[in-house]
């Protein structure tokens, strides 16, 4: 797995764990990671994380 993918996976996992533990980051932080995941064509991860964004 390329380093960029490893970094995105680590960020995704960290943010997901934070949210699930009740420590929600600012919505803009979530959105920025969603955009980075989409740019890397990690659509499943991006969509899963986007579910945590407020309406």
């Amino acid at each position: 797995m390329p380093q960029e993918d490893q970094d995105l996976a680590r960020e995704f996992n960290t943010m997901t764990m934070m949210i699930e533990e009740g420590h929600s980051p600012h919505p803009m932080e979530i959105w920025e990671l969603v955009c980075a995941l989409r740019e890397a064509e990690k659509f499943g991860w991006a969509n899963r994380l986007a579910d945590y964004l407020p309406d």
Side-chain angles (χ1 to χ4, degrees):
M1 181 183 301
Q3 184 63 42
E4 180 181 337
D5 287 352
Q6 290 177 14
D7 292 344
L8 284 172
R10 188 172 19 263
E11 286 184 62
F12 171 80
N13 289 329
T14 300
M15 190 167 292
T16 302
M17 285 188 339
M18 285 176 53
I19 293 168
E20 290 174 353
E21 291 174 356
H23 307 289
S24 188
H26 190 277
M28 190 52 116
E29 290 179 70
I30 298 171
W31 178 247
E32 289 172 355
L33 184 51
V34 167
C35 291
L37 289 165
R38 286 180 178 163
E39 287 176 20
E41 299 183 4
K42 305 296 183 194
F43 300 111
W45 290 351
N47 292 339
R48 185 169 157 203
L49 196 57
D51 286 342
Y52 292 112
L53 288 168
D55 289 332

